[in-house]
């Protein structure tokens, strides 16, 4: 059992475990990126093929995003009790089983099974996002943005490779007697299961459990030091015990602001991204072009992370959240004016969309991490990720209906304008004072 007492040893221990944690998270995120890219790239197309309806093509995004909401809550609760290793390992395993279910549904042309499997598959998406928190448990406050970035940028390799393997995986699926559009889910199943195994086996010691233990030691030392000072000053006239416990502070505004940043960012990104493949196919683009655009978009979601994290640590969480809103607005404007047959402008719009999401997610995540303490961190983070997932589900479900009723151009412009709601919220946030969220007693 690890014990305190030597501050220098505590510091060395924290650094060593943080380095090991980031290494394990990097490998798991590479695999996780490949898993999540399958649903993003061909989920809507597979549903359109099986349902024979474009208006319901947003359902896959909605379903696995709803599944990710349940998973985010569950992973957060499990991590709070048993640590990141168990919570993340279970989450990725569930996502892999869901991907297998999608393949089975495609083979059997069984729509109810497809919907159920997509719901379970969403656990992988939620876990992939929750893994970013594992990199921050032992990171100093001044390096939390960078730690989030390292976890996220690792997703890039798998996330970019996944969409560009649509055609080869389709050929592989066809050779196995599986519908081609289900091919990427074969990759997702293997990737998610492998990611879960890596975390469960190698994420030792658990970064959250160690962070909680160190926090308890520091709190005990601080209490002992305070007690000694009170004794030395002989403050018997107003004994602390007579006053009772201090009232719990109100939840820190930073957690709410971070949640708002990530929710609005998620809705704007998911709504536009979900309908882009269908918009492209309608205007004569092939699957290889769809894979290119989505691959570049997903790359833009993750690849800028190292730079983004440094900027968030350097310039602050709220200023970078404003930057995210501006970039998302730019993405919506480009998507709205781009001709349907212009591959170049669609690439630009989706790259901007990915970068805006990246900046918003890292800035919002840093706000949440700053606002939490080990006693409530995974539980609070899981709850916030539920809101993010539900927002994404709503954006995915409504995107098909909005596009059918109006056009992709209106959908794109609406998503960009939605992001501007961040700016008044963030200006209000600058006037508030940050206070830590109390642990539930």
């Amino acid at each position: 059992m690890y014990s305190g007492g030597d501050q220098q040893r505590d510091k060395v221990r924290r650094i060593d475990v943080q380095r090991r944690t980031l290494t394990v998270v990097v490998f798991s995120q590479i695999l996780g990126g490949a898993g999540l890219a399958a649903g993003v790239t061909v989920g809507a197309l597979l549903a359109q093929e099986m349902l024979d309806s474009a208006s319901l093509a947003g359902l896959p995004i909605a379903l696995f995003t709803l599944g990710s909401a349940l998973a985010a809550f569950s992973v957060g609760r499990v991590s709070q009790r048993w640590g990141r290793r168990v919570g993340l390992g279970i989450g990725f395993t569930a996502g892999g089983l869901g991907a297998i279910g999608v393949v089975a549904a495609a083979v059997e042309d069984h729509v109810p099974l497809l919907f159920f499997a997509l719901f379970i598959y969403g656990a992988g998406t939620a876990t992939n996002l929750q893994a970013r928190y594992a990199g921050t448990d032992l990171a100093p406050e001044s390096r939390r943005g960078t730690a989030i970035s390292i976890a996220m940028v690792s997703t890039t390799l798998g996330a970019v490779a996944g969409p560009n393997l649509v055609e080869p995986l389709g050929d592989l699926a066809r050779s196995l007697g599986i519908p081609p559009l289900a091919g990427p889910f074969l990759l997702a199943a293997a990737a998610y299961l492998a990611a879960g195994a890596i975390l469960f086996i190698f994420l030792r010691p658990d970064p959250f459990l160690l962070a909680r233990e160190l926090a308890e030691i520091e709190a005990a030392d601080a209490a002992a030091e305070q007690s000694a000072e009170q004794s030395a000053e002989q403050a018997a006239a107003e004994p602390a015990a007579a006053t009772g416990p201090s009232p719990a502070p109100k939840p820190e505004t930073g957690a709410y602001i971070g949640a708002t940043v990530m929710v609005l960012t998620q809705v704007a990104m998911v709504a536009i991204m979900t309908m882009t493949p269908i918009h492209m196919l309608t205007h004569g683009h092939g699957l290889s072009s769809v894979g290119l655009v989505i691959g570049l978009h997903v790359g833009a979601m993750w690849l800028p992370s190292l730079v983004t994290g440094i900027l968030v640590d350097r310039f602050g969480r709220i200023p970078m959240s404003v930057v995210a809103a501006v970039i998302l607005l730019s993405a919506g404007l480009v998507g709205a004016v781009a001709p349907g047959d212009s591959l170049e402008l669609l690439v630009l719009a989706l790259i901007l969309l990915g970068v805006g999401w990246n900046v918003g997610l890292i800035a919002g995540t840093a706000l949440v991490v700053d606002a939490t303490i080990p006693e409530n961190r995974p539980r609070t983070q899981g709850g916030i990720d539920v809101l993010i997932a539900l927002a994404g589900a709503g954006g995915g479900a409504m995107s098909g209906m909005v596009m059918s009723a109006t056009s992709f151009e209106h959908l794109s412009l609406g998503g960009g304008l939605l992001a501007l709601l961040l700016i008044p919220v963030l200006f209000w946030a600058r006037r508030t004072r940050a206070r830590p969220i109390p642990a539930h007693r």
Side-chain angles (χ1 to χ4, degrees), residues 97-193:
L97 295 176
I100 293 173
V102 171
V103 175
V107 171
E108 299 296 328
D109 195 23
H110 197 289
V111 173
L113 177 58
L114 174 69
F115 290 166
F116 177 74
L118 284 169
F119 183 81
I120 302 301
Y121 168 77
T125 304
T127 308
N128 193 77
L129 280 176
Q130 288 260 322
R132 74 194 189 277
Y133 291 121
T136 66
D137 286 325
L138 295 169
E141 184 174 351
S142 62
R143 296 279 296 170
R144 284 172 178 163
T146 303
I148 297 165
S149 291
I150 293 172
M152 288 183 59
V153 76
S154 309
T155 309
T156 305
L157 182 59
V160 173
N164 290 287
L165 292 174
V166 168
E167 287 192 301
L169 288 169
D171 294 338
L172 173 62
R174 188 181 292 109
S175 69
L176 297 173
I178 298 172
L181 287 176
F185 286 95
L186 293 172
L187 173 63
Y192 277 160
L193 291 173

Side-chain angles (χ1 to χ4, degrees), residues 53 61 92 141 152 158 203 257 317-318 341 387 399 401 433:
S53 172
I61 296 289
F92 272 130
E141 184 174 351
M152 288 183 59
L203 196 62
I257 298 303
R317 285 59 162 138
I318 290 177
D341 58 355
L387 296 178
S399 61
M401 301 177 188
R433 182 183 178 185

